[in-house]
């Protein structure tokens, strides 16, 4: 199953490391990643893949949301099909 991770907030050291480490510890694979910095705002979108049933999208969303709060970031996770249906043009 695939999901989309979005990260938005003030740029600071360690954002990618923190997010990718949480995903690694949860056995979630990063399939694709795009990130940019606009002035001092960091934005990142990741497509991730869950290879097992040990962790759910809700579990990862909770872990990443907690990390986001610690770092002053907005981090969300949605199943790929939900993300795509919400963002169709």
């Amino acid at each position: 199953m695939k999901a989309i991770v979005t990260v938005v907030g003030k740029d600071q050291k360690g954002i990618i490391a923190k997010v990718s480490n949480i995903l690694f510890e949860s056995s979630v694979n990063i399939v694709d990643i795009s990130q940019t910095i606009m002035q001092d705002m960091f934005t990142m979108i990741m497509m991730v893949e869950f290879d097992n049933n040990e962790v759910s999208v809700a579990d990862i969303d909770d872990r990443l949301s907690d990390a986001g709060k610690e770092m002053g970031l907005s981090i969300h996770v949605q199943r790929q099909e939900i993300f795509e249906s919400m963002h169709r043009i």
Side-chain angles (χ1 to χ4, degrees):
M1 183 225 350
K2 292 184 180 171
I4 305 299
V5 178
T6 57
V7 182
V8 177
K10 185 174 167 88
D11 187 36
Q12 58 189 287
K13 293 178 184 176
I15 296 173
I16 296 173
K18 183 76 166 182
V19 172
S20 61
N21 190 48
I22 290 170
L23 295 172
F24 170 76
E25 290 173 349
S26 303
S27 298
V28 176
N29 186 44
I30 299 169
V31 177
D32 199 358
I33 182 172
S34 174
Q35 64 90 31
T36 189
I37 300 168
M38 298 183 326
Q39 295 183 7
D40 65 344
M41 291 300 292
F42 177 88
T43 62
M44 178 169 64
I45 299 175
M46 304 170 102
M47 179 180 289
V48 298
E49 186 171 50
F50 293 70
D51 290 332
N52 57 48
N53 293 326
E54 294 176 23
V55 65
S56 69
V57 172
D59 291 336
I60 295 298
D61 189 44
D62 289 343
R63 293 178 195 174
L64 290 174
S65 290
D66 290 345
K69 288 176 188 169
E70 291 173 14
M71 298 181 77
L73 304 168
S74 173
I75 305 177
H76 299 284
V77 183
Q78 289 182 311
R79 293 175 62 109
Q80 180 184 14
E81 59 269 15
I82 294 171
F83 183 87
E84 288 176 351
S85 69
M86 290 176 61
H87 296 91
R88 286 199 174 126
I89 297 176

